[in-house]
Amino acid sequence: MTLYYDPVASLGKDCEAFRGGWDDRLWLNVPGPFYGGETDTCRTGRLSAPQHVLYGGEYLTGYVYRQPRTPAETARLVEAADQDPFLGYGCDGDSRWTPEAVREWWRGRGRITRYLSAHDWDDMDWAEQGVAAAVRDFADYIAGPLPGDLRIYLYWLEEGRSPVPGERLPEL
């Protein structure tokens, strides 16, 4: 049994939907292989991947707040990327994130939690997409299991393989 699911390994031709640029990546994206950059603001991401995509930043573009952990979740994120008219999602995060960059993102998580709490997400005109509930889910994820997921991801980046249960994980 391994602890890290590698969603990129299962992409094949589906990777064509991911043309977003790393330099355009929104700061709210959780470290991992997938991210949202200059996505369209038509709010299609959550229609396909509601457990993975939120909207934020200056233009309320799509970003990945939870990386996929199964083939089905990966397929939903691929669909979200494919539906984006700007093709602004990226899938090359594994070659871009460094252990230090992941740790820096984690140290700066207060900026994200402040951003999430500074808006009245219930008052937005997209209530039918459950954005307010997803924002609360993201905040709970940051306060709960995300540190463990990031330590597993750090292991993946440093060792080039998934840790197995019982192996020592890097510190954040």
Side-chain angles (χ1 to χ4, degrees), residues 30-95:
V30 166
F34 298 108
Y35 57 89
E38 289 186 355
T39 63
D40 187 33
T41 57
C42 60
R43 305 179 194 145
T44 59
R46 288 194 48 76
L47 297 175
S48 299
Q51 295 177 323
H52 304 281
V53 174
L54 268 170
Y55 311 117
E58 183 178 1
Y59 302 108
L60 295 175
T61 56
Y63 67 93
V64 177
Y65 80 94
R66 187 185 305 264
Q67 296 290 330
R69 298 180 62 123
T70 67
E73 290 178 1
T74 303
R76 286 191 287 274
L77 198 53
V78 167
E79 183 180 317
D82 194 46
Q83 296 298 315
D84 180 44
F86 292 174
L87 300 174
Y89 288 90
C91 69
D92 61 344
D94 287 350
S95 65

Side-chain angles (χ1 to χ4, degrees), residues 112-156:
I112 294 169
T113 57
R114 285 188 301 276
Y115 174 83
L116 295 175
S117 65
H119 295 78
D120 184 1
W121 299 101
D122 289 308
D123 202 30
M124 299 287 187
D125 65 347
W126 50 40
E128 72 278 356
Q129 287 197 20
V131 170
V135 166
R136 289 188 290 275
D137 179 50
F138 187 20
D140 289 346
Y141 184 46
I142 292 170
L146 180 56
D149 289 350
L150 289 178
R151 292 179 68 206
I152 291 169
Y153 186 60
L154 281 171
Y155 190 98
W156 172 260

Side-chain angles (χ1 to χ4, degrees), residues 2-19:
T2 60
L3 298 176
Y4 182 76
Y5 163 71
D6 179 10
V8 177
S10 64
L11 284 182
K13 289 186 178 187
D14 287 336
C15 203
E16 294 172 9
F18 295 92
R19 297 187 189 163

